[in-house]
Amino acid sequence: TDEIMQQDIRPLVAVDIIEQLHRQFAILSGGRGKDGAPIITFPEFAGFSDIPDEDFLNVVTYLTSIPSLEAASIGFIIIIDRRRDKWSAVKASLTRIAGAFPGNLQLVFVLRPSRFIQRTIADIGIKLYRDDFKMKVPIIMLNSVSDLHGYIDKSQLTRELGGTLEYGHSQWIHHRTAIENFAMTVKTTAQMLQTFGTDLAETELPNDVQCTEELLSSHTDHHSKLKGELKLAVKQGATLLTCIREPVTRSANSKLSPDELENVATVERLLAQLDETEKAFDQFWTKHHLKLEQCLQLRHFEHDFREVKLALDNLMEAQAGFADIGDSVTRVEHLLREQKQLEEKGQESLDKAQSLALHGEQLIQNNHYAVDSIRPKCVELRRICDDFTNETKKKYDILGKSLELHKQLDKASQWCEAGIYLLASQAVDKCQSQEGAETALVEIEKFLVTAKEHQLSNPKEFYNQFDMILTPEIKANAQRILQKLEDVQEMFDKRQVSLKKLAAKQTRPVQPVAPHPESSPKRASPKITRPAGVDSTDYFSLLAGKYPGLQFQGHAFLTTYTHPASTRSNGRLNLPRTETHIINELIETERVYVEELQSIIEGYASEMDNPNLVHLIPSALQNKKEILFGNLPEIYEFHNRHEIENCIENPELLARCFLKRKEDLQIYEKYCQNKPRSEALWRQCGDSIFFQECQRKLDHKLSLDAYLLKPVQRITKYQLLLKEMLKCSKNSEGTAELEEALATMLDIIKSVNDSMHQIAITGYEGDVSELGKLLMQGSFNVWTDHKKGHNKVKDLARFKPMQRHLFLYAKMLLFCKKREENTDGHEKTASYSFKNSLKMSTVGITENVKGDNKKFEIWYNGREEVYIIQASSVELKNTWISEIRKVLTGQLEACR
């Protein structure tokens, strides 16, 4: 029974021979011999010899197939009960069993006829015909059941044979048919699940929403139906198990026979198979159902994408149609309203696109199988939204410029009209007197003061300001108004000359006027006083010394840009304490910074390849563009590619913006490392005619070397802005991210600074890059103590400290001597001569050295070498000790 599911040929089952089993000419009572051999009993049966051979063989074959293989291999015990019959019946039974019994035999017991004559005949017959029965096992003739009890325990014999074993033939048949039906149910159910699973695995996923929904519904219904079948099968098995165990449940003294116990084991195994099949099916169904649901999600996403993409394309097409920048204030204001309407109209599509992109990213995060299909669509949606937003901003910028231009032109035109009216309204007769002339002069002077309202006093500046939108028509109109302004000014000048002649010769007080900032005489910038505690070897401090025109504050150069909302108090810049102002400053300075980088690349670097200027380039500069400019083009591409203007509406995104660019900002380290080479080349070639000509074309007030310092200024500017943001956002949402962004920027500045010191190391024979990350660097007083050295040397070493610059790496601690050399008469350049190194794997540290809380001790090779190190402050000492302990702890953890 246990093997039913694996058999290809249908085995003999009880239902096939139910009538023959009911005749009860042979039974498997469930009893066992002393060694566990199954007992088959042939009870008294009047028509035994009349049973057809096929029926006899089927019943005996079926009965021998029921016990387990282990029990059957022991051999069957046959009990033939012929106490009420004749010797002929005994002989016929033995002959039939010998010729047709399909299993292994162990013993044959015959309860011979009880009548004296038949018993005597049986004794004689068994001796005469034993060899004819062809049985290889003993045939034991018994006179009574009491003799049988000597061979088989009573508990293994039915009541008919004087035993105590409970046996009901009808119930036995009922259990057998139920077990076999349940086995067939399990097999059929497993086959149904397998067939359904195969169908699911071979199902092709539909390409549209409706078909996917129908397939999902169909498969779900089929799955629910099969789960119902499984539940019924489990219930059937549980009921059968209860029925088999019913005698034990009913009476605590009852025990199941070995055959009944095997029936229980069989049903339990079938239930276990059913449970395993169900679990495997559920696992497969879960994956398949998830795939169908993800397929449906994908089809919905693709459908929504097509709709949103069409709407966005229409929106972009409509936006592209707005090419007019207006020719008057009224027209520009109308265009701005139309642009606003288009923006409001497209907002719904933009929101849908952003929402759909967010939904797509959620699908990706949920491990959707179609990531390669979803991600490009999300990128496309965000790109179109960004393009529309950027284009809209450009449209507003251009229209805003156009509006400002036309307003200025209108104001200038109105001023001209007002001036003409003023001149025309001055009565000539009243101006003939001294008083009248003076009054007229005052009127003219008051009116001329209002000239600043039209802001067209400097035509060159005007054209530079609005160059991007000056169409031929607008330019012609502007030239007309500028000419009109010039004419009106000339009219005022002539009128003033005439009125001054008419006025009395009275000394008029001179009104002092402050000079324009640009016209004020240039003064040398004061020297910068470095704040206390700043390491004189700090790279940025050195740059502050090289370029005293730059203000140095906390590792940062402050640009001269002043925000409109800023104020100055005692010469210091007081930045506004609002996030919006800080973001505005960041965006504005970022825009100016990118424009400056572009002007350097286009106005200098690209001009080095200009055939018309090749003859102006000094020979020392030939093929050295990469040295002079470093990776400036890479920095420009990075900033030009990553817009941060979206942060003005979402200040909380600012920190994420910096965190996202953390790795990219390492390009500044490369730039700073090249800076000494660039400066040396500039000192050699900076006064060439080539650079003067490029500066003239660009109309730059500063020479190239000042602009080449812009990246150094910029990388140090960000951390100041982030600090200001933190002051405004303290204890608010996003503070943690701002703090992390600030720490990132400070770490980048530290990394740049450290790298500048590292490249100045000389005399080290190994490869510094193999020592791991540079964790700390700084200057200290160092005393050494070598146990193997001479006593006088040791004493001398203890009292004479050495100035050493230490470089702490993950694998090594380097001791260097700092040297400063003048380079071509310019500022001193620091270098670090390698003196000694300690492997971090063999050092130890003592935190406190007696008598000085600024000292700590590093010992090497079991204190054969001891280094006492004195820091400039307790805080610096603690910082170094903490970092060294981290390295040692990390090595210990790695060893563990």
Side-chain angles (χ1 to χ4, degrees), residues 757-772 807 809 811-817 832-840:
H757 289 281
Q758 179 174 275
I759 62 174
I761 296 175
T762 61
Y764 181 70
E765 295 183 356
D767 187 352
V768 176
S769 63
E770 295 178 355
L771 301 182
F807 293 85
Y809 294 89
K811 297 181 180 180
M812 194 85 75
L813 178 63
L814 300 187
F815 290 78
C816 299
K817 184 174 182 179
Y832 302 97
S833 176
F834 171 75
K835 293 296 181 182
N836 191 19
S837 64
L838 304 179
K839 290 183 180 179
M840 293 304 294

Side-chain angles (χ1 to χ4, degrees), residues 192-193 196 222-231 281:
M192 287 193 303
L193 294 178
F196 182 54
H222 198 169
H223 169 260
S224 299
K225 183 179 178 182
L226 287 175
K227 287 291 286 185
E229 299 281 352
L230 273 169
K231 287 182 179 179
F281 174 73

Side-chain angles (χ1 to χ4, degrees), residues 428-659:
V428 177
D429 55 340
K430 292 183 179 180
C431 295
Q432 299 303 314
S433 66
Q434 178 182 334
E435 183 179 356
E438 288 179 349
T439 303
L441 279 171
V442 170
E443 288 179 346
I444 289 174
E445 287 173 356
K446 286 183 178 179
F447 181 79
L448 289 177
V449 171
T450 65
K452 62 182 180 181
E453 295 179 1
H454 59 67
Q455 299 177 351
L456 294 183
S457 57
N458 189 337
K460 184 178 180 181
E461 183 178 335
F462 171 80
Y463 283 123
N464 288 339
Q465 182 181 3
F466 297 105
D467 181 64
M468 60 184 293
I469 59 169
L470 284 178
T471 63
E473 294 78 13
I474 295 176
K475 194 170 185 178
N477 184 37
Q479 289 174 343
R480 180 180 60 78
I481 293 175
L482 287 171
Q483 184 61 48
K484 189 175 181 180
L485 276 172
E486 187 178 342
D487 295 340
V488 171
Q489 186 66 49
E490 186 178 357
M491 292 166 62
F492 273 107
D493 292 340
K494 290 179 179 179
R495 176 67 61 89
Q496 282 180 309
V497 171
S498 300
L499 289 173
K500 285 178 181 179
K501 290 179 181 179
L502 294 172
K505 296 182 179 180
Q506 179 179 340
T507 303
R508 300 173 60 84
V510 179
Q511 300 292 332
V513 179
H516 192 275
E518 291 185 0
S519 65
S520 59
K522 295 183 179 179
R523 292 178 299 172
S525 301
K527 290 186 178 180
I528 304 304
T529 302
R530 294 193 181 108
V534 176
D535 186 352
S536 63
T537 61
D538 185 282
Y539 173 61
F540 297 104
S541 303
L542 290 174
L543 286 177
K546 293 180 186 179
Y547 302 91
L550 297 167
Q551 298 177 6
F552 178 75
Q553 179 179 337
H555 291 304
F557 296 97
L558 300 177
T559 63
T560 56
Y561 168 75
T562 304
H563 190 273
S566 303
T567 60
R568 285 190 177 270
S569 175
N570 298 325
R572 289 188 63 187
L573 182 65
N574 298 321
L575 293 176
R577 296 286 182 172
T578 64
E579 293 181 352
T580 304
H581 289 156
I582 298 168
I583 296 293
N584 283 334
E585 178 176 0
L586 174 61
I587 292 174
E588 178 61 23
T589 54
E590 185 80 5
R591 181 187 61 77
V592 172
Y593 174 54
V594 173
E595 290 176 356
E596 288 174 339
L597 294 181
Q598 184 179 11
S599 69
I600 298 169
I601 293 170
E602 294 179 354
Y604 286 99
S606 298
E607 289 297 288
M608 291 181 70
D609 301 322
N610 186 346
N612 298 326
L613 298 179
V614 170
H615 64 285
L616 300 179
I617 300 175
S619 58
L621 194 62
Q622 295 289 342
N623 301 320
K624 293 183 179 179
K625 182 166 67 173
E626 290 74 14
I627 295 177
L628 182 62
F629 296 97
N631 62 329
L632 193 72
E634 184 182 8
I635 294 175
Y636 167 70
E637 288 299 327
F638 167 70
H639 284 274
N640 193 41
R641 184 171 66 250
H642 293 88
E643 296 290 342
I644 61 172
E645 285 149 349
N646 293 333
C647 296
I648 194 168
E649 297 296 335
N650 299 287
E652 64 274 9
L653 297 179
L654 179 63
R656 298 178 198 169
C657 182
F658 279 100
L659 291 173

Side-chain angles (χ1 to χ4, degrees), residues 1 12 28 60-69 76 176 180:
T1 306
L12 192 65
L28 185 69
V60 175
T61 301
Y62 177 73
L63 294 180
T64 55
S65 69
I66 293 173
S68 66
L69 293 176
F76 289 85
R176 291 309 308 167
E180 290 162 359

Side-chain angles (χ1 to χ4, degrees), residues 232-482:
L232 288 175
V234 171
K235 185 177 180 181
Q236 178 186 348
T239 303
L240 177 56
L241 206 56
T242 302
C243 290
I244 298 173
R245 289 172 172 167
E246 191 270 339
V248 178
T249 306
R250 186 176 66 250
S251 173
N253 296 326
S254 298
K255 291 185 179 180
L256 297 180
S257 68
D259 282 0
E260 289 174 328
L261 290 174
E262 287 187 0
N263 288 343
V264 169
T266 297
V267 175
E268 287 177 342
R269 282 196 296 272
L270 289 171
L271 283 171
Q273 290 175 7
L274 203 58
D275 182 64
E276 290 175 3
T277 303
E278 183 177 12
K279 286 179 180 177
F281 174 73
D282 286 344
Q283 187 177 5
F284 176 80
W285 167 253
T286 299
K287 293 180 181 178
H288 178 75
H289 188 257
L290 176 62
K291 190 168 186 179
L292 282 180
E293 286 185 330
Q294 289 186 343
C295 178
L296 183 59
Q297 291 170 346
L298 178 63
R299 301 307 173 225
H300 278 298
F301 178 82
E302 291 173 339
H303 178 265
D304 295 340
F305 173 80
R306 287 191 290 270
E307 289 186 348
V308 172
K309 179 71 164 53
L310 180 62
L312 290 178
D313 289 343
N314 293 336
L315 193 62
M316 293 295 291
E317 185 177 354
Q319 187 185 61
F322 281 86
D324 190 6
I325 63 171
D327 54 3
S328 66
V329 172
T330 305
R331 176 60 181 165
V332 174
E333 289 176 342
H334 175 72
L335 290 173
L336 280 169
R337 287 193 296 272
E338 286 188 340
Q339 182 64 39
K340 185 66 176 177
Q341 290 172 357
L342 177 64
E343 186 181 14
E344 292 173 350
K345 179 182 176 182
Q347 193 59 46
E348 182 179 356
S349 297
L350 292 174
D351 291 342
K352 285 183 178 179
Q354 293 288 0
S355 177
L356 187 59
L358 181 61
H359 176 58
E361 290 173 354
Q362 290 173 345
L363 292 179
I364 293 172
Q365 291 175 1
N366 293 332
N367 299 320
H368 197 285
Y369 70 87
V371 171
D372 293 339
S373 174
I374 296 172
R375 182 175 283 116
K377 293 179 174 62
C378 294
V379 173
E380 177 72 359
L381 289 173
R382 293 199 185 281
R383 183 193 63 78
I384 296 176
C385 289
D386 291 342
D387 288 349
F388 180 82
T389 302
N390 293 334
E391 281 301 313
T392 300
K393 186 179 182 304
K394 290 179 182 177
K395 296 284 185 185
Y396 278 128
D397 290 343
I398 292 174
L399 290 175
K401 281 281 186 185
S402 179
L403 183 63
E404 183 182 354
L405 165 67
H406 289 297
K407 282 184 176 180
Q408 287 191 25
L409 292 176
D410 284 355
K411 283 182 180 180
S413 182
Q414 292 168 6
W415 185 85
C416 290
E417 297 298 329
I420 294 170
Y421 177 79
L422 174 63
L423 293 174
S425 63
Q426 288 182 333
V428 177
D429 55 340
K430 292 183 179 180
C431 295
Q432 299 303 314
S433 66
Q434 178 182 334
E435 183 179 356
E438 288 179 349
T439 303
L441 279 171
V442 170
E443 288 179 346
I444 289 174
E445 287 173 356
K446 286 183 178 179
F447 181 79
L448 289 177
V449 171
T450 65
K452 62 182 180 181
E453 295 179 1
H454 59 67
Q455 299 177 351
L456 294 183
S457 57
N458 189 337
K460 184 178 180 181
E461 183 178 335
F462 171 80
Y463 283 123
N464 288 339
Q465 182 181 3
F466 297 105
D467 181 64
M468 60 184 293
I469 59 169
L470 284 178
T471 63
E473 294 78 13
I474 295 176
K475 194 170 185 178
N477 184 37
Q479 289 174 343
R480 180 180 60 78
I481 293 175
L482 287 171

Side-chain angles (χ1 to χ4, degrees), residues 82-85 111-119 143:
R82 293 295 181 265
R83 288 173 291 174
R84 299 179 185 177
D85 219 327
L111 287 170
R112 53 187 165 187
S114 57
R115 287 178 292 177
F116 177 79
I117 296 175
Q118 292 300 324
R119 181 183 300 175
N143 294 324

